[in-house]
Amino acid sequence: MRRIHATVLAATATAAALLAPAAAQAAPTSTTELLGTYGFGRAAVIGDAGVAAGVWRSPAVHSRFAGDDLTVTFSPRTKPRASEQLVYTAAFNEVADAQAECRKVGADGVAHHVWMSFRCQTGFVPSYTLYVR
């Protein structure tokens, strides 16, 4: 009887391990997603800046009717960084509305779990620097 009980327990443990929920299984180490659509020419600048900052890799830009789509490969964040990290600065002579672009890139990053939070800081002229956690 004891042997049957042990066999049933072993079979139950094996079945539970095989049918474990996805949350218990290992999360993907990286993912590739569309981050967002930005002004013509801006997606490439933002993509290169994100690579230089180390927040993503392999940026790909695809021109569309409304702007350039930026697709990036990154490791999804579940916790904020210990300190803020500078991603890029949008200067007034490079983009029509640097503040709006900074806020959009920051919000897109939060929505896709590239970072957990962001802050746009104004510079000496109407430029905005994107900081993320």
Side-chain angles (χ1 to χ4, degrees):
M1 182 71 161
R2 185 174 209 137
R3 186 174 184 170
I4 293 172
H5 182 68
T7 304
V8 169
L9 285 176
T12 303
T14 302
L18 292 174
L19 300 174
Q25 296 175 4
T29 56
S30 66
T31 185
T32 301
E33 291 185 22
L34 171 68
L35 183 67
T37 302
Y38 308 103
F40 293 107
R42 295 301 301 159
V45 171
I46 295 164
D48 291 344
V51 170
V55 295
W56 57 61
R57 59 191 179 286
S58 307
V61 177
H62 302 284
S63 292
R64 305 288 182 200
F65 293 108
D68 292 340
D69 287 347
L70 175 60
T71 301
V72 295
T73 301
F74 61 95
S75 297
R77 305 248 355 141
T78 57
K79 293 191 279 187
R81 289 173 168 78
S83 61
E84 284 187 321
Q85 182 173 5
L86 184 148
V87 177
Y88 86 108
T89 298
F92 76 98
N93 60 348
E94 297 171 343
V95 61
D97 188 346
Q99 181 181 27
E101 181 184 89
C102 184
R103 288 181 177 167
K104 178 163 178 23
V105 174
D108 288 345
V110 169
H112 293 283
H113 302 285
V114 179
W115 44 73
M116 300 303 293
S117 64
F118 74 95
R119 172 175 72 93
C120 293
Q121 179 179 356
T122 187
F124 293 107
V125 294
S127 65
Y128 285 84
T129 301
L130 175 64
Y131 292 96
V132 301
R133 283 195 165 234

